Amino acid sequence: MAAKSDFKIPLIVSASIHIGVIVIVAMGVNFDEKPKVVPQVSAPAVQAVVVDQKKVTEYAEKLKADKREAERKEKARQDELERRANEAKQAREREQAQIKKLEQQRKQKEIETQNAAAAAKAAKLKEKQEKEKAAQAEAQRKKKEAERKASEEAAAKAEAKRKQEEAAAKKAADERKRKEEAERKRKAEEQARLEQERMMQEALAAEQAALSQTRNKQVVSEVQRYTSMIRATIQRNLVVDESMRGKSCRIFIRLAKDGFVTGNEILSGDPVVCRATKAAINKAGRLPVSQEADVYNKLKEINLTVQPEFN
């Protein structure tokens, strides 16, 4: 009985130490400190305590290693989240750069169109001036020709003074006929010039109408493009949940020239979607808007339908 009791005491002490160490580890106690001396009970009990203490220390080290591994994994997760956030930021910056590039290309095309129109107008004006110069030169030539003929006729008249009155009368009739023909030609030429000017004015008016129609189409296209950009900006800031699926909100938005939202008002739609839409607009603060006056005038007050998008 005494021997059995000697073995029972070390076992009880060992079990108590195990339980105590596990509680201390759970509470975060540092095992680097030197363990306290356990009162000696007997030689077998001391040996059991030393062996168990080693196992407890190994177990504590394992818990610390597990904690360090968990911290390492958490840091790796945070680093991955930061990397993804940076990639998203870079993607937005590339998108803005692409939008800016497209805007520059559009303005360049508009400048080229205006230059082409100006060149065409200048060519028509030059053609008109050349025709006027040609008409003036022709009139000068005819004038000199008439003067030459008049001189010859005067000389012939002087020599024909001795001729019969019939010849003089015939000559006078020919002169009258020539003058009538010259006047007829002059009137015909004047009429032709007036008709040519009228045709040129009509051509210029048609060209201006075509240019105006082209600009109107460009304005409509730009308004549609900026409306899509405004809707996309709102969608990026819209917080959605499943209760919004298939629902929408129609909202009135007033914009300043720099895109700053000066007012918005719900027109109709689902209350939850409408509240989320107003919150997204207020979060954005500014919305995309064109710097061109005719495009901005159609965007400064718009009615927009917003429907949450689900990936």
Side-chain angles (χ1 to χ4, degrees):
M1 292 296 292
K4 188 174 181 181
S5 176
D6 291 340
F7 281 102
K8 185 180 293 186
I9 291 172
L11 289 174
I12 293 172
V13 173
S14 176
S16 299
I17 293 173
H18 272 79
I19 294 171
V21 170
I22 291 172
V23 171
I24 292 170
V25 170
M27 295 176 66
V29 176
N30 189 355
F31 280 90
D32 292 336
E33 297 179 357
K34 186 176 180 180
K36 295 181 180 179
V37 178
V38 180
Q40 294 185 356
V41 179
S42 64
V46 172
Q47 185 179 3
V49 170
V50 173
V51 173
D52 291 339
Q53 180 64 32
K54 182 179 179 181
K55 291 182 179 180
V56 169
T57 302
E58 291 175 352
Y59 180 69
E61 291 299 327
K62 181 178 181 300
L63 290 178
K64 289 181 179 180
D66 291 345
K67 183 179 180 182
R68 286 193 298 270
E69 178 63 15
E71 290 174 348
R72 185 191 65 77
K73 289 182 178 179
E74 176 61 19
K75 185 177 183 303
R77 187 181 73 82
Q78 293 294 335
D79 291 344
E80 177 64 15
L81 290 176
E82 185 177 354
R83 184 187 66 79
R84 291 182 181 178
N86 289 333
E87 288 179 353
K89 180 180 178 182
Q90 292 172 359
R92 288 194 301 272
E93 290 175 351
R94 288 194 296 271
E95 180 184 356
Q96 292 297 325
Q98 181 64 15
I99 291 172
K100 183 176 181 181
K101 181 180 178 181
L102 292 174
E103 179 65 12
Q104 291 174 346
Q105 291 176 351
R106 184 195 64 75
K107 289 185 177 180
Q108 181 62 31
K109 288 183 179 178
E110 183 178 349
I111 291 172
E112 292 174 356
T113 301
Q114 292 175 351
N115 290 340
K121 184 176 180 180
K124 289 183 179 295
L125 180 60
K126 183 178 180 181
E127 180 182 0
K128 178 183 177 182
Q129 291 173 345
E130 290 177 351
K131 288 183 178 179
E132 289 177 350
K133 287 181 180 180
Q136 291 174 358
E138 179 65 16
Q140 188 67 20
R141 186 193 66 78
K142 288 183 177 180
K143 182 180 179 181
K144 290 181 178 181
E145 180 68 16
E147 290 174 352
R148 184 185 64 81
K149 287 184 177 180
S151 179
E152 291 177 353
E153 289 172 357
K157 198 181 233 186
E159 293 178 357
K161 283 182 181 181
R162 296 185 306 269
K163 292 184 178 180
Q164 298 178 358
E165 290 182 357
E166 184 178 353
K170 184 177 181 301
K171 181 179 180 181
D174 290 341
E175 181 67 13
R176 186 174 58 255
K177 183 178 179 181
R178 183 192 67 78
K179 289 181 178 181
E180 290 175 354
E181 183 66 17
E183 181 64 17
R184 185 186 64 79
K185 288 182 179 181
R186 186 189 66 79
K187 290 182 179 180
E189 289 172 356
E190 181 67 21
Q191 182 66 26
R193 281 198 300 273
L194 293 173
E195 182 66 17
Q196 188 178 36
E197 289 179 359
R198 184 187 65 79
M199 292 174 65
M200 291 182 67
Q201 291 295 332
E202 290 178 354
L204 287 173
E207 183 180 3
Q208 291 295 330
L211 289 174
S212 177
Q213 186 178 7
T214 300
R215 180 55 185 163
N216 289 337
K217 290 181 179 179
Q218 290 175 344
V219 170
V220 171
S221 176
E222 284 296 284
V223 169
Q224 292 174 348
R225 186 167 72 90
Y226 274 94
T227 300
S228 298
M229 290 166 63
I230 291 172
R231 186 177 282 107
T233 301
I234 294 174
Q235 288 289 352
R236 282 198 301 271
N237 291 280
L238 191 67
V239 179
V240 300
D241 57 50
E242 283 297 325
S243 66
M244 300 179 182
R245 188 178 291 275
K247 299 176 182 179
S248 63
C249 176
R250 187 160 181 81
I251 191 166
F252 165 79
I253 304 173
R254 183 181 294 108
L255 299 174
K257 290 185 178 181
D258 61 352
F260 184 78
V261 179
T262 59
N264 60 77
E265 181 181 348
I266 295 173
L267 300 177
S268 62
D270 180 72
V272 176
V273 177
C274 288
R275 284 196 297 271
T277 300
K278 284 182 71 70
I281 293 171
N282 293 332
K283 182 178 180 182
R286 280 184 170 83
L287 297 176
V289 69
S290 175
Q291 298 302 312
E292 299 180 43
D294 49 358
V295 179
Y296 165 73
N297 287 334
K298 293 184 180 296
L299 290 170
K300 63 182 180 181
E301 293 184 352
I302 60 172
N303 295 332
L304 195 67
T305 299
V306 176
Q307 185 172 8
E309 296 178 355
F310 294 84
N311 295 330

